[in-house]
Amino acid sequence: MAQRFDRRTLLSTGVLATAGAVGATSLADMLVATEAGAVTTNGPGRNGLTRAKARRGGHLTIGVSAEEQGFNPTTGRFDGTGFLYGRTVFDPLMAITATGKVVPYLAESLTANKDFTKWTITVRPNIKFHDGTPCDGAALLMNIDKQYSSPLVGVAVRPLVASYEQTGPRSITLTMRRPWVSFPYTLASQQICFTAAPSMLSAPNGGSDHPVGTGPFIFESWQPNDHFTAKANPHYWRPGLPHLDTITFKPIADENARSQALRSGTIDIMHAFGAQALLEFRGNRQFSYADDSGHMVGSPNCNSLMLNCAAAPFNDPEVRRIVATGTSSAIFSKAIDRGLSGAVNGIFQPGSPYYSRHNPYPTYNKAKAAAMVKAYNAKHATKLSFSLNTVAAPATLRAAQLNQQMMRDIGIPVAIKTMQQNELINDALYGTFQATQWSQFGTISPELNYIWFSTTTSQKSGISINMARNSDPRIEAAMVAGMSSPKASVRTASWRRVNELLGQDVPYVWTDRLTAGIISRPNVENWAGPTSPAGVPLLGNAQGVFWPTQIWRS
């Protein structure tokens, strides 16, 4: 199991399949069979779904895999935990449905001009932040301004957005640098979808330790690495919600410890990503369970070694090919994930329209890799070796040790460096690593991964959102072609090309697909059955992220 770094972090792009917006139905049609339908559960009554009438009141404790550095969506480094925190105190402008489309949430509408170079966001009327101030066009403008100028989020926003302005009492309009057909998904599944109160953004630290949003719960307390607690918003704009009185998140990095906390009743619900925890609860009807295994359109989260292509030794493409040739995804999947998740050789898997059988990614061959290492060492004064960053958690460390063993078998010494998750992410952002365990790229729509592969976000020094620092203009051209066209055929061909070029460049050495599960005690109801303000069923499990708004206790 690799370190999980969620695709939602910062900003990205997605497909257009949205109600209330100028749309391209040819794209929406490709997303009908989505991750929402590709689940394994513990059956009726133990799958997070219920038809019973909700009960009001009670407290819920959620076990999460990591802690966040803060709550400010314009400056933070939100991962899956950050998105759970965000859905607690904020509301997303848009939301992904259970069939892979996009519908308004906090936004009343999202509309585009004819060529998709201008998008207008209009928020619902009469909504107030927790401090009593209006959520209006001025608040939207302040949020996008903070995002645009952010040293972190801005790196991702500025290459795509040329300008923005307030165009109505409840509206802002963004002008894009090129046609951006897929913009609605960004406002549903990236952290810029959350709108913070101006009072929060104006605080000395940007309100990072005291969020103020429009969401179903109001911030109460936060003790980093121990708990975050919020209480029900009595004036929430969605009538009758939330059902719970209070909610607490407890970061428990060790998945075995998190599982034990669920069994003992210390926590009521958790997300899990390792085979041991998932298989422990799958089929055990003492608990409710659902995971996202099975066929997915688009790309699942994939485990990998991310290589720093801007620094030795991985600035040499031959070294990257050596490591890929010496790494067996099939062995990794069997040994670490006990066959729960299949072997992979790219971000798209068989069954996806973007999968290509002609992917040039290196095939595993231990003898060949060992010969390549000997040839490399004969030509260079310094023998090939590298360091591998990993999180100091038992399951993650076991995966790193298997990577280390595979490299030892072909003659490459690997030094494992353990650290906390925020350190690992910072090293990746700033390029202070050689190789790092990584898990990312899970999305219904491939455009959501634009910024991770773009030449516009790759920097040799300072923060680089393209953290592998693989700057390939061919990949950039293919992604732009896919993002700019409403034609499904163009989009499909473009992303097949991206997958093939990643196979040539090898900035990632793929190990296996990640499976994300949600597990709860049986009296925790409706965590898999969220709906939009209009009553449309929403995606209940997006790589381990769910909605706290409509959960209740029986």
Side-chain angles (χ1 to χ4, degrees), residues 244-267:
L244 297 165
D245 289 332
T246 54
I247 190 168
T248 293
F249 294 86
K250 289 190 70 66
I252 307 173
D254 184 337
E255 197 150 274
N256 291 334
R258 200 156 67 248
S259 297
Q260 181 56 40
L262 181 65
R263 285 187 171 278
S264 68
T266 303
I267 62 175

Side-chain angles (χ1 to χ4, degrees), residues 489-507:
S489 59
V490 173
R491 180 170 175 268
T492 298
S494 297
W495 285 97
R496 282 182 181 172
R497 176 67 171 157
V498 169
N499 201 35
E500 292 167 0
L501 291 170
L502 287 171
Q504 286 183 20
D505 294 348
V506 198

Side-chain angles (χ1 to χ4, degrees), residues 298-480:
S299 53
N301 268 327
C302 290
N303 293 324
S304 69
L305 297 186
M306 183 167 68
L307 310 178
N308 187 346
C309 300
F314 295 115
N315 55 354
D316 184 342
E318 178 66 9
V319 176
R320 304 199 295 269
R321 285 191 287 269
I322 290 171
V323 173
T325 303
T327 300
S328 170
S329 178
I331 292 174
F332 192 97
S333 175
K334 184 177 180 180
I336 299 300
D337 285 336
R338 296 161 62 180
L340 182 71
S341 302
V344 297
N345 68 352
I347 58 173
F348 304 120
Q349 314 311 315
S352 165
Y354 318 114
Y355 176 77
S356 173
R357 288 180 296 176
H358 307 295
N359 185 350
Y361 181 81
T363 302
Y364 172 65
N365 187 320
K366 184 168 71 171
K368 180 180 177 180
M372 294 169 73
V373 171
K374 288 181 179 179
Y376 178 92
N377 287 341
K379 292 188 296 183
H380 295 82
T382 302
K383 289 187 177 181
L384 184 56
S385 66
F386 64 91
S387 61
L388 173 61
N389 287 8
T390 187
V391 169
T396 312
L397 185 58
R398 285 196 300 273
Q401 289 167 341
L402 178 57
N403 290 129
Q404 183 185 50
Q405 180 62 53
M406 287 182 179
M407 292 299 97
R408 184 184 299 122
D409 289 346
I410 63 172
I412 302 177
V414 173
I416 294 175
K417 297 172 65 176
T418 60
M419 59 193 67
Q420 296 300 312
Q421 176 175 296
N422 63 338
E423 296 176 276
L424 183 140
I425 293 173
N426 283 338
D427 280 357
L429 287 168
Y430 284 96
T432 52
F433 74 101
Q434 290 182 314
T436 186
Q437 283 191 297
W438 209 248
S439 183
Q440 201 180 357
F441 313 122
T443 171
I444 296 174
S445 165
E447 286 91 346
L448 285 160
N449 287 315
Y450 169 78
I451 61 167
W452 314 123
F453 308 143
S454 174
T455 58
T456 67
T457 58
S458 179
Q459 307 292 330
K460 290 186 177 180
S461 62
I463 290 177
S464 179
I465 305 303
N466 178 341
M467 287 163 283
R469 291 158 175 82
N470 180 54
S471 188
D472 187 336
R474 300 173 302 169
I475 292 177
E476 180 72 18
M479 292 192 298
V480 168

Side-chain angles (χ1 to χ4, degrees), residues 130-147:
H130 299 155
D131 62 3
T133 59
C135 179
D136 55 14
L140 284 178
L141 183 68
M142 186 173 185
N143 275 262
I144 186 63
D145 190 58
K146 292 289 187 180
Q147 292 157 7

Side-chain angles (χ1 to χ4, degrees), residues 9-58:
T9 307
L10 312 179
L11 174 73
S12 190
T13 56
V15 300
L16 178 65
T18 176
V22 176
T25 56
S26 57
L27 297 188
D29 292 343
M30 298 181 67
L31 300 173
V32 173
T34 70
E35 59 192 10
V39 298
T40 298
T41 76
N42 280 356
R46 294 292 186 271
N47 57 5
L49 297 170
T50 181
R51 293 184 179 179
K53 183 178 179 180
R55 292 180 57 186
R56 192 170 184 85

